[in-house]
Amino acid sequence: MRAPALYSAAGTLLLTTLAAAPAGSASGASGAPAAAEVRGTATAAARAEAAGIAFGKCAEVEDLPGNVQCGTVSVPLDYASPDGKQIKLTVSRVRATHRDPHNSKRKVPRQGALVFNPGGPGASGMYFPLIGVMPEWKRLAAAYDLVGYAPRGVGRSAPLSCQDPKHFYEAPSQAPTHPSESYKQERIAQAKTYAQGCAKRAGSALRHYTSLNNARDLDVLRAALGEEKLTFMGASYGTYFGALYATLFPSHVRRMVFDSAVNPDPTQIWYRNNLDQSAAFEGRWADFRDWIAKHDKVYGLGDTAERVQRSYDKAAAQLAVEPAGGKVGPGQLQGAFLAAGYYDDYWPHRAEALSAYLKGDPKQLILQAGPHAEAAKEAENGNAVYTAVECNDASWPTDWKVWDRDNTRLARVAPFETWDNVWMNLPCAYWSAPRQEPLDVRTGPGELPPTLILAAERDAATPYDGALEMHRRLWGSVLVTERDSGTHGIAGGPNPCVNGHVDAYLLEGRLPVRRAACAPHPEPKPREHSSKKSAARPAA
């Protein structure tokens, strides 16, 4: 699951089949008790509390402005061996401003640190503290130190890689919605090679990149920040290991916001969640096509969703024969339009690029869909961490026939993302590291302070059923739904109703009734200069 665009992080959520672990169990692949990890986490947290974080100037490679401070916190690679190898996680911070944006004379008291994770797995939160200058975040920035960090494996936090980044982008590429047997065999070979690359490059450390360890790292970070209890906001995948944290360390929780919640049911982690996501993206792709059809006078791509689909298919066919700029093929087109399934503010840009391409001008499409060589290292790193965490977290089908059967059926009704999702996750079928059993996320009455769950009703990356399941499993949680909307990551966005609930909770501890609803934010409008261009429809 990709992280919200607001936080400029990359990633993507996806999925696996597995029997649920016993309630409250956090056992590893061997089934051994988790007592060693419990003791190891307590040891590491005590050391971090004593050491603190020496915040100072950020390294040049972080590309952060001078008002952001950076530091590191040490965590064990293996929590069962807290005296063994240590890795350093990079951390960023902007201190609370104490300035009330609505009353310059009022000094706002500090409430502690607000720690944020944007998802992935594989996304960095290092840029999060910059968000405080935006109007929607100024009240929170007044009361909280805004803290971001790069989770284990990401960026400079013990970085993980599975192949030479120079070979990560293979462009142009194909994106068949009904792949041939020969194409499937080609992708199977690529998945095996990628899994082998992860094992070779990471060695014995590979097994320690897990969601449970991400949750344990979060507790060590809490202690290093000097916070007795954690105030946390997780988006997308960040909601999953945030829920693991709430289950493992309920007494350490102050306030938690789960924005665009992953379905935490152990039987969903991760294969079945992936199937659900592919199905949900078909609905969001339909929403986008309906919007383009509504603005046919601007884009000329068709006045019905079916005609828009034909325009898209025509572009994909042309790109298969002659890639735009030599690097944008059907695969890059699909990737660009998949991003629009996450964020509707991309819709005008993508529709304009498709329209211009079919009228003979490929520049916008190349700019929006073309791979950027300078980003290859970061992209490969994010993909490596994503793969390692999800493959390690749970059992996956190891028989290709299972993948082929399930996704062939699904692609008949949901062709847009299904096979692309398969190729992204297929290395997990050939994974050599031990698999864990997913923790049964569940808290009982009085175990956990009330928490806030946010969800858009038509979110494709984390389908709405996941928020309902998270709500059922976290006792005392409150669910706020943005109706008839599909943006992935809604905190601090364009909906004042959603933002009002977030502010009331984080600033005052106030929550609505057990469930609340917000009207959708307005649909995007075609860009002004687009409407002034010729609306001549490209040949169908």
Side-chain angles (χ1 to χ4, degrees), residues 226-249:
E227 299 291 319
E228 182 179 349
K229 293 181 182 291
L230 177 71
T231 303
F232 176 76
M233 180 183 291
S236 196
Y237 165 73
T239 69
Y240 178 60
F241 80 80
L244 296 180
Y245 184 94
T247 304
L248 292 170
F249 310 105

PDB file of all heavy atoms in Angstrom, residues 226-249:
ATOM      1  N   GLY A 226      12.015  10.062  25.421  1.00  0.00           N
ATOM      2  CA  GLY A 226      11.663  10.468  26.777  1.00  0.00           C
ATOM      3  C   GLY A 226      10.168  10.483  27.031  1.00  0.00           C
ATOM      4  O   GLY A 226       9.711  11.129  27.989  1.00  0.00           O
ATOM      5  N   GLU A 227       9.410   9.761  26.214  1.00  0.00           N
ATOM      6  CA  GLU A 227       7.957   9.734  26.357  1.00  0.00           C
ATOM      7  C   GLU A 227       7.536   8.515  27.187  1.00  0.00           C
ATOM      8  O   GLU A 227       7.858   7.374  26.833  1.00  0.00           O
ATOM      9  CB  GLU A 227       7.294   9.660  24.983  1.00  0.00           C
ATOM     10  CG  GLU A 227       7.607  10.838  24.072  1.00  0.00           C
ATOM     11  CD  GLU A 227       6.975  12.127  24.556  1.00  0.00           C
ATOM     12  OE1 GLU A 227       5.808  12.080  25.004  1.00  0.00           O
ATOM     13  OE2 GLU A 227       7.637  13.179  24.487  1.00  0.00           O
ATOM     14  N   GLU A 228       6.841   8.762  28.279  1.00  0.00           N
ATOM     15  CA  GLU A 228       6.355   7.649  29.093  1.00  0.00           C
ATOM     16  C   GLU A 228       5.314   6.841  28.329  1.00  0.00           C
ATOM     17  O   GLU A 228       5.261   5.617  28.422  1.00  0.00           O
ATOM     18  CB  GLU A 228       5.750   8.175  30.401  1.00  0.00           C
ATOM     19  CG  GLU A 228       5.272   7.076  31.325  1.00  0.00           C
ATOM     20  CD  GLU A 228       4.695   7.615  32.623  1.00  0.00           C
ATOM     21  OE1 GLU A 228       4.858   8.824  32.891  1.00  0.00           O
ATOM     22  OE2 GLU A 228       4.083   6.834  33.363  1.00  0.00           O
ATOM     23  N   LYS A 229       4.480   7.550  27.560  1.00  0.00           N
ATOM     24  CA  LYS A 229       3.463   6.899  26.737  1.00  0.00           C
ATOM     25  C   LYS A 229       3.530   7.469  25.324  1.00  0.00           C
ATOM     26  O   LYS A 229       3.868   8.639  25.130  1.00  0.00           O
ATOM     27  CB  LYS A 229       2.062   7.099  27.342  1.00  0.00           C
ATOM     28  CG  LYS A 229       1.870   6.374  28.677  1.00  0.00           C
ATOM     29  CD  LYS A 229       0.475   6.572  29.211  1.00  0.00           C
ATOM     30  CE  LYS A 229       0.276   5.885  30.568  1.00  0.00           C
ATOM     31  NZ  LYS A 229       0.291   4.426  30.449  1.00  0.00           N
ATOM     32  N   LEU A 230       3.180   6.646  24.356  1.00  0.00           N
ATOM     33  CA  LEU A 230       3.336   6.989  22.945  1.00  0.00           C
ATOM     34  C   LEU A 230       2.103   7.675  22.370  1.00  0.00           C
ATOM     35  O   LEU A 230       0.971   7.207  22.564  1.00  0.00           O
ATOM     36  CB  LEU A 230       3.606   5.706  22.145  1.00  0.00           C
ATOM     37  CG  LEU A 230       3.718   5.860  20.625  1.00  0.00           C
ATOM     38  CD1 LEU A 230       5.002   6.585  20.257  1.00  0.00           C
ATOM     39  CD2 LEU A 230       3.661   4.490  19.942  1.00  0.00           C
ATOM     40  N   THR A 231       2.335   8.775  21.658  1.00  0.00           N
ATOM     41  CA  THR A 231       1.310   9.377  20.806  1.00  0.00           C
ATOM     42  C   THR A 231       1.756   9.125  19.370  1.00  0.00           C
ATOM     43  O   THR A 231       2.837   9.549  18.959  1.00  0.00           O
ATOM     44  CB  THR A 231       1.170  10.887  21.059  1.00  0.00           C
ATOM     45  OG1 THR A 231       0.882  11.100  22.452  1.00  0.00           O
ATOM     46  CG2 THR A 231       0.037  11.468  20.224  1.00  0.00           C
ATOM     47  N   PHE A 232       0.925   8.426  18.610  1.00  0.00           N
ATOM     48  CA  PHE A 232       1.346   7.886  17.310  1.00  0.00           C
ATOM     49  C   PHE A 232       0.257   8.061  16.272  1.00  0.00           C
ATOM     50  O   PHE A 232      -0.931   7.902  16.571  1.00  0.00           O
ATOM     51  CB  PHE A 232       1.668   6.397  17.473  1.00  0.00           C
ATOM     52  CG  PHE A 232       2.020   5.684  16.191  1.00  0.00           C
ATOM     53  CD1 PHE A 232       3.270   5.845  15.600  1.00  0.00           C
ATOM     54  CD2 PHE A 232       1.106   4.828  15.598  1.00  0.00           C
ATOM     55  CE1 PHE A 232       3.602   5.164  14.433  1.00  0.00           C
ATOM     56  CE2 PHE A 232       1.430   4.140  14.431  1.00  0.00           C
ATOM     57  CZ  PHE A 232       2.674   4.305  13.843  1.00  0.00           C
ATOM     58  N   MET A 233       0.680   8.375  15.055  1.00  0.00           N
ATOM     59  CA  MET A 233      -0.217   8.350  13.909  1.00  0.00           C
ATOM     60  C   MET A 233       0.423   7.475  12.841  1.00  0.00           C
ATOM     61  O   MET A 233       1.543   7.722  12.404  1.00  0.00           O
ATOM     62  CB  MET A 233      -0.468   9.752  13.339  1.00  0.00           C
ATOM     63  CG  MET A 233      -1.404   9.740  12.128  1.00  0.00           C
ATOM     64  SD  MET A 233      -1.640  11.388  11.372  1.00  0.00           S
ATOM     65  CE  MET A 233      -2.580  12.204  12.654  1.00  0.00           C
ATOM     66  N   GLY A 234      -0.298   6.437  12.445  1.00  0.00           N
ATOM     67  CA  GLY A 234       0.171   5.563  11.372  1.00  0.00           C
ATOM     68  C   GLY A 234      -0.796   5.621  10.219  1.00  0.00           C
ATOM     69  O   GLY A 234      -2.016   5.644  10.417  1.00  0.00           O
ATOM     70  N   ALA A 235      -0.263   5.667   9.015  1.00  0.00           N
ATOM     71  CA  ALA A 235      -1.089   5.640   7.813  1.00  0.00           C
ATOM     72  C   ALA A 235      -0.842   4.341   7.071  1.00  0.00           C
ATOM     73  O   ALA A 235       0.281   3.830   7.047  1.00  0.00           O
ATOM     74  CB  ALA A 235      -0.768   6.830   6.907  1.00  0.00           C
ATOM     75  N   SER A 236      -1.886   3.766   6.505  1.00  0.00           N
ATOM     76  CA  SER A 236      -1.772   2.591   5.658  1.00  0.00           C
ATOM     77  C   SER A 236      -1.088   1.452   6.423  1.00  0.00           C
ATOM     78  O   SER A 236      -1.557   1.060   7.492  1.00  0.00           O
ATOM     79  CB  SER A 236      -1.017   2.980   4.384  1.00  0.00           C
ATOM     80  OG  SER A 236      -1.166   2.024   3.383  1.00  0.00           O
ATOM     81  N   TYR A 237       0.023   0.911   5.911  1.00  0.00           N
ATOM     82  CA  TYR A 237       0.726  -0.151   6.638  1.00  0.00           C
ATOM     83  C   TYR A 237       1.097   0.286   8.055  1.00  0.00           C
ATOM     84  O   TYR A 237       1.171  -0.550   8.970  1.00  0.00           O
ATOM     85  CB  TYR A 237       1.986  -0.569   5.869  1.00  0.00           C
ATOM     86  CG  TYR A 237       2.942  -1.391   6.688  1.00  0.00           C
ATOM     87  CD1 TYR A 237       2.660  -2.726   7.005  1.00  0.00           C
ATOM     88  CD2 TYR A 237       4.124  -0.831   7.185  1.00  0.00           C
ATOM     89  CE1 TYR A 237       3.539  -3.468   7.788  1.00  0.00           C
ATOM     90  CE2 TYR A 237       5.009  -1.582   7.960  1.00  0.00           C
ATOM     91  CZ  TYR A 237       4.702  -2.897   8.264  1.00  0.00           C
ATOM     92  OH  TYR A 237       5.571  -3.627   9.037  1.00  0.00           O
ATOM     93  N   GLY A 238       1.311   1.581   8.276  1.00  0.00           N
ATOM     94  CA  GLY A 238       1.607   2.077   9.620  1.00  0.00           C
ATOM     95  C   GLY A 238       0.510   1.762  10.610  1.00  0.00           C
ATOM     96  O   GLY A 238       0.762   1.656  11.822  1.00  0.00           O
ATOM     97  N   THR A 239      -0.725   1.578  10.122  1.00  0.00           N
ATOM     98  CA  THR A 239      -1.818   1.202  11.030  1.00  0.00           C
ATOM     99  C   THR A 239      -1.662  -0.235  11.492  1.00  0.00           C
ATOM    100  O   THR A 239      -2.085  -0.588  12.598  1.00  0.00           O
ATOM    101  CB  THR A 239      -3.197   1.367  10.368  1.00  0.00           C
ATOM    102  OG1 THR A 239      -3.374   0.384   9.323  1.00  0.00           O
ATOM    103  CG2 THR A 239      -3.368   2.751   9.772  1.00  0.00           C
ATOM    104  N   TYR A 240      -1.061  -1.080  10.634  1.00  0.00           N
ATOM    105  CA  TYR A 240      -0.935  -2.495  11.009  1.00  0.00           C
ATOM    106  C   TYR A 240       0.076  -2.683  12.127  1.00  0.00           C
ATOM    107  O   TYR A 240      -0.234  -3.281  13.164  1.00  0.00           O
ATOM    108  CB  TYR A 240      -0.561  -3.348   9.792  1.00  0.00           C
ATOM    109  CG  TYR A 240      -0.368  -4.804  10.175  1.00  0.00           C
ATOM    110  CD1 TYR A 240      -1.404  -5.532  10.748  1.00  0.00           C
ATOM    111  CD2 TYR A 240       0.862  -5.438  10.003  1.00  0.00           C
ATOM    112  CE1 TYR A 240      -1.233  -6.856  11.134  1.00  0.00           C
ATOM    113  CE2 TYR A 240       1.040  -6.765  10.377  1.00  0.00           C
ATOM    114  CZ  TYR A 240      -0.010  -7.467  10.945  1.00  0.00           C
ATOM    115  OH  TYR A 240       0.164  -8.774  11.336  1.00  0.00           O
ATOM    116  N   PHE A 241       1.295  -2.159  11.948  1.00  0.00           N
ATOM    117  CA  PHE A 241       2.232  -2.383  13.054  1.00  0.00           C
ATOM    118  C   PHE A 241       1.901  -1.462  14.226  1.00  0.00           C
ATOM    119  O   PHE A 241       2.283  -1.743  15.366  1.00  0.00           O
ATOM    120  CB  PHE A 241       3.698  -2.325  12.603  1.00  0.00           C
ATOM    121  CG  PHE A 241       4.318  -0.977  12.427  1.00  0.00           C
ATOM    122  CD1 PHE A 241       4.788  -0.255  13.504  1.00  0.00           C
ATOM    123  CD2 PHE A 241       4.469  -0.440  11.156  1.00  0.00           C
ATOM    124  CE1 PHE A 241       5.391   0.979  13.338  1.00  0.00           C
ATOM    125  CE2 PHE A 241       5.079   0.783  10.979  1.00  0.00           C
ATOM    126  CZ  PHE A 241       5.536   1.504  12.070  1.00  0.00           C
ATOM    127  N   GLY A 242       1.144  -0.382  13.992  1.00  0.00           N
ATOM    128  CA  GLY A 242       0.605   0.392  15.109  1.00  0.00           C
ATOM    129  C   GLY A 242      -0.366  -0.452  15.936  1.00  0.00           C
ATOM    130  O   GLY A 242      -0.367  -0.397  17.176  1.00  0.00           O
ATOM    131  N   ALA A 243      -1.184  -1.264  15.254  1.00  0.00           N
ATOM    132  CA  ALA A 243      -2.113  -2.154  15.961  1.00  0.00           C
ATOM    133  C   ALA A 243      -1.357  -3.265  16.679  1.00  0.00           C
ATOM    134  O   ALA A 243      -1.751  -3.699  17.773  1.00  0.00           O
ATOM    135  CB  ALA A 243      -3.111  -2.743  14.974  1.00  0.00           C
ATOM    136  N   LEU A 244      -0.262  -3.735  16.076  1.00  0.00           N
ATOM    137  CA  LEU A 244       0.589  -4.701  16.783  1.00  0.00           C
ATOM    138  C   LEU A 244       1.148  -4.073  18.057  1.00  0.00           C
ATOM    139  O   LEU A 244       1.199  -4.720  19.117  1.00  0.00           O
ATOM    140  CB  LEU A 244       1.733  -5.163  15.881  1.00  0.00           C
ATOM    141  CG  LEU A 244       1.377  -5.942  14.617  1.00  0.00           C
ATOM    142  CD1 LEU A 244       2.645  -6.308  13.846  1.00  0.00           C
ATOM    143  CD2 LEU A 244       0.573  -7.186  14.942  1.00  0.00           C
ATOM    144  N   TYR A 245       1.583  -2.816  17.941  1.00  0.00           N
ATOM    145  CA  TYR A 245       2.102  -2.099  19.107  1.00  0.00           C
ATOM    146  C   TYR A 245       1.028  -2.016  20.191  1.00  0.00           C
ATOM    147  O   TYR A 245       1.295  -2.264  21.384  1.00  0.00           O
ATOM    148  CB  TYR A 245       2.553  -0.698  18.707  1.00  0.00           C
ATOM    149  CG  TYR A 245       3.190   0.075  19.845  1.00  0.00           C
ATOM    150  CD1 TYR A 245       4.567   0.077  20.020  1.00  0.00           C
ATOM    151  CD2 TYR A 245       2.423   0.799  20.759  1.00  0.00           C
ATOM    152  CE1 TYR A 245       5.156   0.769  21.070  1.00  0.00           C
ATOM    153  CE2 TYR A 245       2.993   1.490  21.805  1.00  0.00           C
ATOM    154  CZ  TYR A 245       4.362   1.471  21.959  1.00  0.00           C
ATOM    155  OH  TYR A 245       4.938   2.150  23.010  1.00  0.00           O
ATOM    156  N   ALA A 246      -0.191  -1.656  19.795  1.00  0.00           N
ATOM    157  CA  ALA A 246      -1.283  -1.516  20.764  1.00  0.00           C
ATOM    158  C   ALA A 246      -1.573  -2.836  21.464  1.00  0.00           C
ATOM    159  O   ALA A 246      -1.967  -2.857  22.640  1.00  0.00           O
ATOM    160  CB  ALA A 246      -2.531  -1.005  20.065  1.00  0.00           C
ATOM    161  N   THR A 247      -1.385  -3.951  20.762  1.00  0.00           N
ATOM    162  CA  THR A 247      -1.620  -5.269  21.335  1.00  0.00           C
ATOM    163  C   THR A 247      -0.470  -5.699  22.245  1.00  0.00           C
ATOM    164  O   THR A 247      -0.679  -6.276  23.312  1.00  0.00           O
ATOM    165  CB  THR A 247      -1.816  -6.304  20.212  1.00  0.00           C
ATOM    166  OG1 THR A 247      -2.889  -5.882  19.361  1.00  0.00           O
ATOM    167  CG2 THR A 247      -2.131  -7.679  20.768  1.00  0.00           C
ATOM    168  N   LEU A 248       0.762  -5.400  21.813  1.00  0.00           N
ATOM    169  CA  LEU A 248       1.944  -5.791  22.598  1.00  0.00           C
ATOM    170  C   LEU A 248       2.187  -4.891  23.797  1.00  0.00           C
ATOM    171  O   LEU A 248       2.612  -5.355  24.862  1.00  0.00           O
ATOM    172  CB  LEU A 248       3.189  -5.763  21.699  1.00  0.00           C
ATOM    173  CG  LEU A 248       3.292  -6.807  20.595  1.00  0.00           C
ATOM    174  CD1 LEU A 248       4.451  -6.456  19.666  1.00  0.00           C
ATOM    175  CD2 LEU A 248       3.479  -8.199  21.178  1.00  0.00           C
ATOM    176  N   PHE A 249       1.929  -3.577  23.631  1.00  0.00           N
ATOM    177  CA  PHE A 249       2.279  -2.587  24.659  1.00  0.00           C
ATOM    178  C   PHE A 249       1.091  -1.670  24.989  1.00  0.00           C
ATOM    179  O   PHE A 249       1.224  -0.450  24.951  1.00  0.00           O
ATOM    180  CB  PHE A 249       3.453  -1.727  24.178  1.00  0.00           C
ATOM    181  CG  PHE A 249       4.625  -2.493  23.645  1.00  0.00           C
ATOM    182  CD1 PHE A 249       4.869  -2.554  22.283  1.00  0.00           C
ATOM    183  CD2 PHE A 249       5.496  -3.146  24.508  1.00  0.00           C
ATOM    184  CE1 PHE A 249       5.958  -3.258  21.781  1.00  0.00           C
ATOM    185  CE2 PHE A 249       6.589  -3.853  24.017  1.00  0.00           C
ATOM    186  CZ  PHE A 249       6.821  -3.914  22.649  1.00  0.00           C
TER     187      PHE A 249
END
